[in-house]
Amino acid sequence: MTATTDLIVFTDLDGTLIDHDTYDWSPAQPALSALKGMSAGVVLASSKTAAEIIPLRQTLGLHQWPAIVENGAGILSPNGAETQDASQYNELLSILTKIPPALRDLFRGFGACSPEQVIDMTGLTAKAAQLAKQRMFSEPGLWLGTDMQKAEFLKILTAQGVTAQQGGRFLSLSFGTNKVDQMRRIIETYRPKHTIALGDAPNDVKMLEHAEFGVVIANPHRSPLPPLTGEEDGHILRTKASGPMGWNMAIHDLLDRLELH
């Protein structure tokens, strides 16, 4: 397939395109408009579910592009609003029930929480919390134990074919694929001339390093990511401004650098 766009931008949401506290994305609107004006692709890549991504993608005017959901455990097709099979998620919950209670109880997953508890954990609205519980591929949750207990918990899960990714707030469990796996598939399909990836958390690192240019968005709520591959030669950048403000500035700077305005 020949190139269908000069640029595709892959972006995390919470703490990156969307403000960590307010969930506002409006400071990024100028850069989003610039990308739309040049027909660049913007692929949302998040721990959010398809049910959460569908209305947000529509609001952002990005419905014609695929989206990476549940930390890369699934993908939402362009213009897709389909309800998919939740058998993977149910199998994952079944495995969790077989873990010794002393360890299992240290992981507070969304599946075991009421919508009210999800609201307390995330700060989401009641409607958004309901959407966050409509999972198909992965189980995010808070780890409440020690690092040693966490290692034992993950050892048991690994033996059952379950993998874990640490995001900004939550430990996310699934049966395999991550953001960069889905990113590779999308690049293979669309063949863009340039790629940019933006994120702020450990589960974004591989995606940032795989892009032509990766951008670490500043997040004052957590320790910064360690130095990444490609940072010394200028292919990994870091913003001073956080959230959507940093996102907006980084995109404009890179469009100038790539002479794509």
Side-chain angles (χ1 to χ4, degrees):
M1 180 179 291
T2 57
T4 56
T5 181
D6 285 338
L7 171 67
I8 293 183
V9 175
F10 296 83
T11 179
D12 177 51
L13 288 174
D14 294 343
T16 300
L17 178 58
I18 295 175
D19 185 84
H20 182 277
D21 295 315
T22 65
Y23 292 96
D24 180 32
W25 51 268
S26 59
Q29 184 59 64
L32 286 168
S33 296
L35 292 169
K36 184 176 182 179
M38 56 179 286
S39 299
V42 179
V43 174
L44 306 181
S46 173
S47 62
K48 293 184 182 297
T49 65
E52 292 175 279
I53 290 289
I54 288 167
L56 178 61
R57 187 175 64 170
Q58 187 72 32
T59 298
L60 291 169
L62 304 174
H63 51 280
Q64 71 272 36
W65 296 100
I68 298 167
V69 302
E70 297 191 37
N71 271 325
I75 193 164
L76 181 65
S77 61
N79 299 301
E82 66 271 21
T83 299
Q84 300 182 33
D85 184 3
S87 58
Q88 283 189 41
Y89 181 60
N90 293 330
E91 184 181 353
L92 184 58
L93 294 184
S94 177
I95 290 173
L96 284 172
T97 65
K98 299 172 185 176
I99 294 178
L103 286 175
R104 186 188 68 231
D105 293 346
L106 296 174
F107 178 74
R108 185 179 297 165
F110 280 26
C113 291
S114 67
E116 291 74 23
Q117 288 173 316
V118 172
I119 291 169
D120 289 339
M121 292 165 65
T122 62
L124 293 171
T125 64
K127 181 178 180 181
Q130 290 281 4
L131 296 177
K133 284 178 62 64
Q134 294 181 31
R135 314 201 67 78
M136 292 180 289
F137 308 106
S138 66
E139 176 71 332
L142 295 174
W143 181 253
L144 306 176
T146 65
D147 288 344
M148 186 176 296
Q149 289 169 320
K150 181 180 178 182
E152 181 63 23
F153 176 73
L154 296 181
K155 181 180 179 181
I156 295 171
L157 289 173
T158 298
Q160 299 294 318
V162 177
T163 60
Q165 297 183 71
Q166 183 64 58
R169 306 183 193 185
F170 299 109
L171 181 69
S172 186
L173 311 177
S174 71
F175 287 111
T177 54
N178 55 37
K179 289 182 179 182
V180 76
D181 294 325
Q182 305 292 6
M183 177 188 189
R184 288 190 180 103
R185 293 171 185 172
I186 292 169
I187 290 172
E188 184 176 350
T189 298
Y190 289 91
R191 302 289 183 181
K193 295 177 182 178
H194 304 284
T195 57
I196 297 171
L198 305 96
D200 71 313
N203 63 335
D204 297 317
V205 168
K206 291 182 179 180
M207 183 175 74
L208 299 180
E209 292 179 337
H210 188 68
E212 181 182 359
F213 289 100
V215 181
V216 180
I217 300 295
N219 190 328
H221 298 277
R222 70 172 62 92
S223 300
L225 294 176
L228 305 184
T229 302
E231 194 159 354
E232 287 189 359
D233 61 15
H235 287 279
I236 298 286
L237 313 172
R238 291 179 185 256
T239 67
K240 293 183 179 179
S242 62
M245 184 65 72
W247 198 99
N248 185 70
M249 296 171 67
I251 290 295
H252 280 300
D253 288 346
L254 284 169
L255 291 181
D256 286 341
R257 183 168 177 173
L258 292 168
E259 299 182 346
L260 289 175
H261 274 300

